[in-house]
Amino acid sequence: MGTALEVRDLHVSVEGKPILKGVNLVVRQGEVHALMGPNGTGKSTLANTLMGHPNYEVTHGEILFKGKDLVGMGPDERSRLGLFLAFQYPVAIPGVSLANFLRAALNARRRASDSTDKGMPIPEFRKLLKQKMDVLKMPHEFAGRYLNEGFSGGEKKRAEILQLATLEPEIAVLDETDSGLDIDALRIVASGVNDLAGPELGVLIITHYQRILNYVKPQFVHIMLGGRVVESGGPELAEHLEEHGYDWIREKVGETVAEA
Ligand code: ADP
Ligand code: MG
């Protein structure tokens, strides 16, 4: 069995206010999961906590990855371990090309597993990058652009997916609830995930958009409500949500959430 990201009874507060109230979730390498739920239920709080954002205080529970508890680790340390989190890079880095950024990130990952690693030679890296861009049908010039400088929403997503392809993480967490995300950006993410999904990669797509699931087919679907994962199932759960919305699940767990 491969690597897993295991969230156990996770409680998280933001500015002293409890938001996550006992999240349990396991994502294994080779699996595609979707975490869905109405606005304000804590999905992005989970993403930010997994990322190691300092404003999100874990008051209880564990986040296990490769036998380690990620709680207390910085975002870069998590990334070097093989966990990919979207938006882990700054908004824009003028003067640093996407290619150079990716090479630095890749070499940091290599050094984490072998401290004597001298980094990937540039010709080898160029070859790798071209190969990844071909898989994702991206023009090679894209790698020469300065990181996120003047990137459209869709281009930011492309950069993110290219980063995912290059770093080859074991588990990737993608929070796609960004309000700026249009349908094209969503398609880019979806087709990237489809191209990259396989036995070596586990993906958790966090979304309130039903429509991304028209392009990506997760094997597992979870519903978050009131800071907890209250229902898990297969793709049929997403279809049920599409048809019936969230009211039925609110009714079903109403008391539990009210007590929390
Ligand atoms: P979702 O992604 O499911 O829409 P969020 O995780 O963004 O939900 O928000 C869950 C709750 O946490 C909301 O009530 C929101 O107001 C609150 N929250 C999230 N982040 C912050 C923050 N940085 N400061 C204050 N409140 C926050
Ligand atoms: Mg959100």
mmCIF file of all heavy atoms in Angstrom, residues 37-45 47-48 175-179 206-208, ligand 2:
data_model
loop_
_atom_site.group_PDB
_atom_site.id
_atom_site.type_symbol
_atom_site.label_atom_id
_atom_site.label_comp_id
_atom_site.label_asym_id
_atom_site.label_seq_id
_atom_site.Cartn_x
_atom_site.Cartn_y
_atom_site.Cartn_z
ATOM 1 N N GLY A 37 -19.204 20.807 -0.399
ATOM 2 C CA GLY A 37 -19.979 21.338 0.715
ATOM 3 C C GLY A 37 -20.354 22.774 0.451
ATOM 4 O O GLY A 37 -19.697 23.454 -0.337
ATOM 5 N N PRO A 38 -21.418 23.239 1.116
ATOM 6 C CA PRO A 38 -21.856 24.621 0.922
ATOM 7 C C PRO A 38 -20.785 25.614 1.377
ATOM 8 O O PRO A 38 -19.851 25.231 2.087
ATOM 9 C CB PRO A 38 -23.101 24.739 1.804
ATOM 10 C CG PRO A 38 -23.343 23.416 2.412
ATOM 11 C CD PRO A 38 -22.211 22.513 2.106
ATOM 12 N N ASN A 39 -20.940 26.859 1.001
ATOM 13 C CA ASN A 39 -20.006 27.908 1.415
ATOM 14 C C ASN A 39 -19.995 28.059 2.926
ATOM 15 O O ASN A 39 -21.023 27.931 3.580
ATOM 16 C CB ASN A 39 -20.399 29.245 0.790
ATOM 17 C CG ASN A 39 -19.890 29.347 -0.629
ATOM 18 O OD1 ASN A 39 -18.833 28.814 -0.958
ATOM 19 N ND2 ASN A 39 -20.650 30.017 -1.472
ATOM 20 N N GLY A 40 -18.795 28.330 3.457
ATOM 21 C CA GLY A 40 -18.670 28.627 4.872
ATOM 22 C C GLY A 40 -18.639 27.412 5.772
ATOM 23 O O GLY A 40 -18.745 27.543 6.994
ATOM 24 N N THR A 41 -18.476 26.213 5.195
ATOM 25 C CA THR A 41 -18.495 25.003 6.017
ATOM 26 C C THR A 41 -17.100 24.579 6.473
ATOM 27 O O THR A 41 -16.974 23.640 7.245
ATOM 28 C CB THR A 41 -19.143 23.828 5.276
ATOM 29 O OG1 THR A 41 -18.502 23.684 4.017
ATOM 30 C CG2 THR A 41 -20.618 24.057 5.084
ATOM 31 N N GLY A 42 -16.066 25.264 5.969
ATOM 32 C CA GLY A 42 -14.717 24.965 6.451
ATOM 33 C C GLY A 42 -13.803 24.276 5.450
ATOM 34 O O GLY A 42 -12.707 23.835 5.810
ATOM 35 N N LYS A 43 -14.206 24.208 4.193
ATOM 36 C CA LYS A 43 -13.382 23.507 3.199
ATOM 37 C C LYS A 43 -12.024 24.193 3.008
ATOM 38 O O LYS A 43 -10.989 23.546 3.035
ATOM 39 C CB LYS A 43 -14.120 23.422 1.849
ATOM 40 C CG LYS A 43 -15.469 22.736 1.933
ATOM 41 C CD LYS A 43 -16.115 22.589 0.570
ATOM 42 C CE LYS A 43 -16.372 23.900 -0.157
ATOM 43 N NZ LYS A 43 -17.342 24.786 0.562
ATOM 44 N N SER A 44 -12.060 25.511 2.816
ATOM 45 C CA SER A 44 -10.793 26.229 2.628
ATOM 46 C C SER A 44 -9.980 26.265 3.919
ATOM 47 O O SER A 44 -8.744 26.289 3.877
ATOM 48 C CB SER A 44 -11.044 27.654 2.128
ATOM 49 O OG SER A 44 -11.577 27.616 0.825
ATOM 50 N N THR A 45 -10.686 26.244 5.044
ATOM 51 C CA THR A 45 -9.976 26.167 6.323
ATOM 52 C C THR A 45 -9.170 24.875 6.383
ATOM 53 O O THR A 45 -8.007 24.879 6.808
ATOM 54 C CB THR A 45 -10.980 26.233 7.498
ATOM 55 O OG1 THR A 45 -11.685 27.478 7.417
ATOM 56 C CG2 THR A 45 -10.288 26.125 8.836
ATOM 57 N N ALA A 47 -8.048 23.215 3.733
ATOM 58 C CA ALA A 47 -6.947 23.368 2.767
ATOM 59 C C ALA A 47 -5.819 24.205 3.362
ATOM 60 O O ALA A 47 -4.648 23.829 3.285
ATOM 61 C CB ALA A 47 -7.462 24.000 1.475
ATOM 62 N N ASN A 48 -6.187 25.332 3.978
ATOM 63 C CA ASN A 48 -5.173 26.214 4.563
ATOM 64 C C ASN A 48 -4.430 25.542 5.715
ATOM 65 O O ASN A 48 -3.242 25.772 5.915
ATOM 66 C CB ASN A 48 -5.811 27.518 5.039
ATOM 67 C CG ASN A 48 -6.221 28.395 3.868
ATOM 68 O OD1 ASN A 48 -5.575 28.396 2.823
ATOM 69 N ND2 ASN A 48 -7.304 29.136 4.032
ATOM 70 N N ASP A 175 -7.458 23.364 -3.738
ATOM 71 C CA ASP A 175 -8.664 24.076 -3.306
ATOM 72 C C ASP A 175 -9.135 24.920 -4.476
ATOM 73 O O ASP A 175 -8.519 25.931 -4.809
ATOM 74 C CB ASP A 175 -8.366 24.952 -2.091
ATOM 75 C CG ASP A 175 -9.624 25.595 -1.521
ATOM 76 O OD1 ASP A 175 -10.716 25.405 -2.104
ATOM 77 O OD2 ASP A 175 -9.529 26.279 -0.489
ATOM 78 N N GLU A 176 -10.188 24.506 -5.112
ATOM 79 C CA GLU A 176 -10.664 25.175 -6.325
ATOM 80 C C GLU A 176 -11.871 26.070 -6.058
ATOM 81 O O GLU A 176 -12.702 26.282 -6.918
ATOM 82 C CB GLU A 176 -10.978 24.140 -7.400
ATOM 83 C CG GLU A 176 -9.773 23.307 -7.795
ATOM 84 C CD GLU A 176 -8.557 24.151 -8.162
ATOM 85 O OE1 GLU A 176 -8.729 25.307 -8.592
ATOM 86 O OE2 GLU A 176 -7.433 23.665 -7.989
ATOM 87 N N THR A 177 -11.970 26.586 -4.845
ATOM 88 C CA THR A 177 -13.127 27.403 -4.507
ATOM 89 C C THR A 177 -12.873 28.872 -4.765
ATOM 90 O O THR A 177 -13.744 29.694 -4.557
ATOM 91 C CB THR A 177 -13.518 27.214 -3.035
ATOM 92 O OG1 THR A 177 -12.393 27.546 -2.251
ATOM 93 C CG2 THR A 177 -13.925 25.805 -2.774
ATOM 94 N N ASP A 178 -11.683 29.195 -5.242
ATOM 95 C CA ASP A 178 -11.337 30.578 -5.568
ATOM 96 C C ASP A 178 -12.440 31.208 -6.409
ATOM 97 O O ASP A 178 -12.792 30.713 -7.462
ATOM 98 C CB ASP A 178 -10.001 30.563 -6.318
ATOM 99 C CG ASP A 178 -9.529 31.960 -6.669
ATOM 100 O OD1 ASP A 178 -10.065 32.919 -6.091
ATOM 101 O OD2 ASP A 178 -8.639 32.065 -7.507
ATOM 102 N N SER A 179 -12.954 32.315 -5.936
ATOM 103 C CA SER A 179 -14.099 32.926 -6.617
ATOM 104 C C SER A 179 -13.732 33.410 -8.018
ATOM 105 O O SER A 179 -14.587 33.552 -8.877
ATOM 106 C CB SER A 179 -14.626 34.089 -5.782
ATOM 107 O OG SER A 179 -13.574 34.980 -5.508
ATOM 108 N N ILE A 206 -10.869 20.121 -3.591
ATOM 109 C CA ILE A 206 -11.835 20.770 -2.719
ATOM 110 C C ILE A 206 -12.627 21.755 -3.555
ATOM 111 O O ILE A 206 -12.038 22.615 -4.212
ATOM 112 C CB ILE A 206 -11.099 21.488 -1.570
ATOM 113 C CG1 ILE A 206 -10.288 20.463 -0.758
ATOM 114 C CG2 ILE A 206 -12.093 22.224 -0.683
ATOM 115 C CD1 ILE A 206 -9.482 21.061 0.366
ATOM 116 N N THR A 207 -13.923 21.613 -3.561
ATOM 117 C CA THR A 207 -14.701 22.456 -4.465
ATOM 118 C C THR A 207 -16.140 22.622 -3.996
ATOM 119 O O THR A 207 -16.704 21.727 -3.379
ATOM 120 C CB THR A 207 -14.694 21.862 -5.899
ATOM 121 O OG1 THR A 207 -15.466 22.681 -6.746
ATOM 122 C CG2 THR A 207 -15.268 20.450 -5.923
ATOM 123 N N HIS A 208 -16.706 23.782 -4.277
ATOM 124 C CA HIS A 208 -18.153 23.825 -4.110
ATOM 125 C C HIS A 208 -18.823 23.805 -5.481
ATOM 126 O O HIS A 208 -20.035 23.797 -5.595
ATOM 127 C CB HIS A 208 -18.606 25.003 -3.240
ATOM 128 C CG HIS A 208 -18.502 26.353 -3.884
ATOM 129 N ND1 HIS A 208 -17.571 27.266 -3.495
ATOM 130 C CD2 HIS A 208 -19.193 26.925 -4.879
ATOM 131 C CE1 HIS A 208 -17.698 28.365 -4.221
ATOM 132 N NE2 HIS A 208 -18.673 28.179 -5.084
HETATM 133 MG MG MG B 2 -13.501 27.899 0.296
#
